[in-house]
C-alpha cells in the first residue's frame, strides 16, 4: 500500500511506466506470452516464478488496474473478474467448499442472494441470511461449526441498508472466520471496509468504478490480515497441499499478503475462467482516474434529490442514509462521513399505477436495469426485476409496488429535481 492520499491513488496507483514507455496503461491484447525456454515457462506453471503465460489466468493490463484498486482499498493483493457476480462467487468459493456454511446479511443484492440461496446451495454450500440490523447476540448465535465466511454489503443494493462493519467483523473473528464486504456502492472513496475490520473486499466495478455504463466487471481485494494457518482445519484449500500444483501450500508459500489471491487466480480463475478482458480493464482504469471527483457529485445529487423527495406530498417514504430521518443515518455518519452514493429509493403514493405513470413522464432519467452511471436512471422493481411477485409477496419482500429506485448521475441537481417535479405534476 502506498502512502499517497486517495485522490493521488485514483489517478496514479498501479501502473508506473519505465523510461520511454507508454504514459497510459497499455492494453495487452494478447491471449498468450512468449518464452525463450520451456524451463522458463515451467517455473510459471510450478508457481516458482511470477509472470504471464495465458490471459485466462492473468494479464498485465488487469494486474495494473487490480493493483490500483488494492492500493485504494488498503489491501495487499487484488484481482479483476469478468463481473461482480464472478467476484463474489470466487471470493466465497475460494474459502468455502462443499459442506461449508455462509452467514450473509439478508439485505444483499438479489444476484448475490440468488447465487448463495440457489446456485451455491446446489454445490453443497448452505447459507443462513441474517438481518444486518440484528443484535450481537443474534449474530453470534447464527454461527455453526461449519461456518467458513461472513458476507455483507457496505450499502446494500437496492435496500440501501448500511452494514455495521465492526459488529460483523468482530463476530466473524470471534468465530475464527473472515468477513467479506461487497463495497460496490460507496467505493473506497467513501468507505474502506478493511479499516473497520473486513478481511476481503469485493466490487462490481460495473457500477461507480467504471461509472460510465461501458464495461461489466468485478474485483476482489485481500487485506492480507486474516491468519489462515491459525484456522488451518477450516481452510484446507489454503493450508493443505494443492495436488494440482505439485503439493504447494498457499498459506505457507505466499504468506498472509498473497495466499488468498494467488489461490483464487491459480485455481479458480484457471478452472472457471471468468477473467475481465484487458480492454475492459483499460476502460475501468479510465473510470478510476476520476472516481474521487465523481463520487462527491453523485453524493451531492443523491442528497439533494432525497431531500426534495422527502418534502414531496406525493411521496410516502424515502430511503437515503444521508437523511437525518433515515434509520441508517447514525451508522452512516460513522462509516460514510463523506456520504454514501447517489442511489435513492422512494415509495410513491398510488402504488404500481402511479409509479408507471410517473416514470413514463421522466425526460432526463431513463428507465434502466442499472445504477451508478454518469447518466441518471430509475427502476420500478414491481414492473421489472420483481414482476413475477404478487402485491402481497412484494410487500413481504420489502419492495412495495410503488417503490422506485433512482440512481442520481452527474447532471445538474436542479435539472434532475425539475424533471422529477414535472413527472409528479403529470400524475
Ligand atoms: C451489481 C452488483 C453486483 C453484481 O455485479 P455485476 O457486475 O452486475 O455482475 C454485486 N453486488 C452489488 C452490490 C451490485 O450492485
Amino acid at each position: 500500500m502506498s502512502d499517497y492520499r486517495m485522490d493521488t491513488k485514483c489517478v496514479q496507483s498501479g501502473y508506473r511506466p519505465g523510461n520511454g514507455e507508454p504514459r497510459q496503461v497499455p492494453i495487452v491484447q494478447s491471449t498468450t506470452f512468449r518464452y525463450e525456454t520451456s524451463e522458463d515457462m515451467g517455473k510459471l506453471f510450478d508457481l516458482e516464478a511470477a509472470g504471464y503465460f495465458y490471459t485466462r489466468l492473468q494479464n498485465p493490463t488487469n494486474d495494473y488496474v487490480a493493483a490500483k484498486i488494492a492500493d485504494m482499498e488498503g489491501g495487499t493483493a487484488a484481482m479483476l473478474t469478468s463481473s461482480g457476480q464472478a467476484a463474489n462467487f470466487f471470493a466465497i468459493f475460494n474459502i468455502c467448499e462443499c459442506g461449508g456454511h455462509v452467514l450473509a446479511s439478508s439485505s444483499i443484492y438479489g444476484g448475490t442472494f440468488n447465487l448463495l440461496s440457489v446456485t451455491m446451495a446446489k454445490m453443497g454450500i448452505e447459507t443462513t441470511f441474517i438481518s444486518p440490523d440484528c443484535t450481537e447476540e443474534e449474530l453470534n448465535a447464527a454461527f455453526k461449526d461449519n461456518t467458513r465466511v461472513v458476507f455483507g454489503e457496505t450499502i446494500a443494493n437496492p435496500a440501501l441498508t448500511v452494514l455495521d462493519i465492526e459488529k460483523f467483523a468482530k463476530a466473524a473473528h470471534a468465530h475464527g472466520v473472515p468477513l467479506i464486504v461487497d463495497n460496490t456502492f460507496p467505493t473506497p472513496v467513501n468507505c474502506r471496509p478493511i479499516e473497520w475490520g473486513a478481511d476481503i473486499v469485493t466490487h462490481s466495478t460495473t457500477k461507480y468504478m467504471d461509472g460510465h455504463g461501458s464495461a461489466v466487471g468485478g474485483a476482489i481485494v485481500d487485506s492480507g490480515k486474516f491468519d489462515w494457518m491459525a484456522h488451518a482445519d477450516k481452510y484446507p484449500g489454503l493450508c493443505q497441499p494443492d495436488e494440482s500444483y505439485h503439493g504447494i501450500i498457499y498459506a505457507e508459500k505466499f504468506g498472509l499478503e498473497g495466499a488468498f489471491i494467488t489461490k483464487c487466480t491459480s485455481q479458480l480463475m484457471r478452472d472457471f475462467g471468468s477473467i475481465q478482458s484487458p480492454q475492459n480493464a483499460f476502460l475501468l482504469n479510465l473510470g478510476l482516474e476520476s472516481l474521487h471527483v465523481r463520487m462527491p457529485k453523485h453524493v451531492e445529487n443523491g442528497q439533494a434529490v432525497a431531500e426534495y423527495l422527502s418534502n414531496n406530498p406525493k411521496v410516502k417514504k424515502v430511503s437515503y442514509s444521508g437523511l437525518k430521518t433515515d434509520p441508517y443515518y447514525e451508522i452512516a455518519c460513522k462509516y460514510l462521513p463523506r456520504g454514501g452514493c447517489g442511489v435513492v429509493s422512494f415509495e410513491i403514493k398510488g402504488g404500481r399505477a402511479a409509479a408507471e405513470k410517473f416514470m413514463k413522464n421522466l425526460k432526463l432519467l431513463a428507465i434502466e436495469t442499472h445504477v451508478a452511471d454518469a447518466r441518471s436512471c430509475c427502476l420500478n422493481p414491481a414492473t421489472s426485476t420483481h414482476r413475477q411477485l404478487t402485491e402481497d409477496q412484494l410487500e413481504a419482500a420489502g419492495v412495495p409496488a410503488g417503490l422506485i429506485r433512482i440512481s442520481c448521475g452527474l447532471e445538474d441537481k436542479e435539472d434532475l429535481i425539475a424533471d422529477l417535479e414535472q413527472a409528479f405534476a403529470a400524475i
Side-chain angles (χ1 to χ4, degrees):
M1 189 176 43
S2 74
D3 291 331
Y4 291 117
R5 292 168 183 82
M6 183 58 71
D7 294 12
T8 308
K9 291 182 182 188
C10 286
V11 182
Q12 295 244 8
S13 283
Y15 172 65
R16 180 148 278 278
N19 197 29
E21 289 181 355
R23 185 69 186 101
Q24 180 54 287
V25 173
I27 305 172
V28 181
Q29 195 67 47
S30 182
T31 55
T32 189
F33 301 80
R34 174 184 171 267
Y35 286 91
E36 299 282 340
T37 68
S38 304
E39 200 191 340
D40 288 345
M41 194 188 284
K43 284 185 189 141
L44 303 180
F45 275 91
D46 287 349
L47 299 181
E48 286 301 331
Y52 301 94
F53 52 91
Y54 192 52
T55 289
R56 184 187 348 110
L57 286 91
Q58 265 184 301
N59 175 281
T61 311
N62 293 26
D63 284 356
Y64 293 135
V65 182
K68 174 180 281 189
I69 296 173
D71 199 27
M72 290 164 67
E73 286 287 7
T76 55
M79 65 197 278
L80 301 187
T81 57
S82 56
S83 67
Q85 285 298 115
N88 283 327
F89 172 62
F90 277 33
I92 297 165
F93 194 61
N94 203 35
I95 46 175
C96 187
E97 300 177 352
C98 182
H101 171 253
V102 180
L103 184 54
S105 158
S106 56
S107 65
I108 55 172
Y109 176 66
T112 315
F113 190 94
N114 202 60
L115 169 69
L116 286 165
S117 65
V118 180
T119 302
M120 290 185 80
K122 288 180 191 159
M123 303 167 82
I125 294 164
E126 182 206 1
T127 300
T128 302
F129 294 97
I130 186 159
S131 164
D133 309 327
C134 64
T135 64
E136 280 190 46
E137 291 68 39
E138 288 165 338
L139 186 54
N140 283 313
F143 283 82
K144 301 184 177 191
D145 289 342
N146 59 341
T147 304
R148 294 291 175 265
V149 60
V150 180
F151 184 94
E153 286 172 16
T154 317
I155 303 176
N157 174 14
L160 303 182
T161 57
V162 180
L163 191 73
D164 187 343
I165 303 172
E166 280 192 319
K167 178 177 79 181
F168 274 73
K170 192 173 148 206
H173 297 158
H175 291 85
V177 305
L179 170 67
I180 301 179
V181 173
D182 181 331
N183 196 34
T184 296
F185 268 19
T187 81
V189 169
N190 284 340
C191 180
R192 287 167 303 284
I194 290 171
E195 291 174 3
W196 300 104
D199 301 283
I200 314 286
V201 173
T202 57
H203 282 278
S204 164
T205 62
T206 318
K207 313 293 165 54
Y208 289 110
M209 283 189 165
D210 169 291
H212 299 78
S214 342
V216 171
I220 308 171
V221 182
D222 180 17
S223 68
K225 288 186 178 154
F226 193 82
D227 190 350
W228 308 105
M229 274 301 190
H231 307 282
D233 54 321
K234 291 195 172 90
Y235 304 104
L238 282 157
C239 303
Q240 284 177 21
D242 179 357
E243 295 316 327
S244 67
Y245 280 109
H246 313 293
I248 66 154
I249 299 174
Y250 292 97
E252 244 173 43
K253 194 167 172 64
F254 301 99
L256 292 184
E257 327 76 56
F260 185 90
I261 293 293
T262 305
K263 173 179 180 289
C264 206
T265 299
S266 52
Q267 235 177 35
L268 302 189
M269 202 52 101
R270 176 195 63 192
D271 295 352
F272 291 106
S274 313
I275 198 143
Q276 188 165 130
S277 81
Q279 177 77 40
N280 282 0
F282 175 84
L283 292 170
L284 167 58
N285 189 56
L286 287 182
L288 293 173
E289 286 180 1
S290 65
L291 187 66
H292 58 298
V293 183
R294 293 184 286 109
M295 286 311 290
K297 177 78 172 173
H298 281 294
V299 168
E300 181 190 330
N301 286 354
Q303 184 74 29
V305 163
E307 283 170 14
Y308 161 77
L309 290 168
S310 60
N311 291 318
N312 191 308
K314 291 180 179 170
V315 171
K316 202 161 147 190
K317 187 175 169 242
V318 185
S319 294
Y320 188 73
S321 64
L323 291 177
K324 287 207 170 70
T325 49
D326 192 86
Y328 296 96
Y329 180 75
E330 293 290 328
I331 197 170
C333 287
K334 174 176 173 180
Y335 293 105
L336 305 159
R338 299 157 59 112
C341 62
V343 183
V344 181
S345 74
F346 72 100
E347 193 182 348
I348 197 167
K349 288 180 185 165
R352 192 186 300 249
E356 262 179 296
K357 192 145 188 226
F358 171 80
M359 287 173 54
K360 199 157 63 188
N361 281 288
L362 289 167
K363 295 188 170 70
L364 279 176
L365 286 96
I367 300 173
E368 288 172 31
T369 313
H370 191 41
V371 288
D373 191 347
R375 288 144 293 216
S376 294
C377 56
C378 63
L379 186 80
N380 171 227
T383 49
S384 55
T385 50
H386 293 61
R387 67 179 295 129
Q388 73 281 9
L389 303 189
T390 64
E391 302 280 319
D392 287 345
Q393 286 172 327
L394 284 170
E395 283 295 336
V399 271
L403 190 84
I404 297 173
R405 179 185 72 190
I406 292 184
S407 169
C408 298
L410 300 175
E411 303 92 340
D412 190 297
K413 63 190 175 201
E414 302 302 335
D415 287 333
L416 293 180
I417 291 170
D419 195 29
L420 299 171
E421 183 76 16
Q422 62 83 28
F424 276 117
I427 55 171

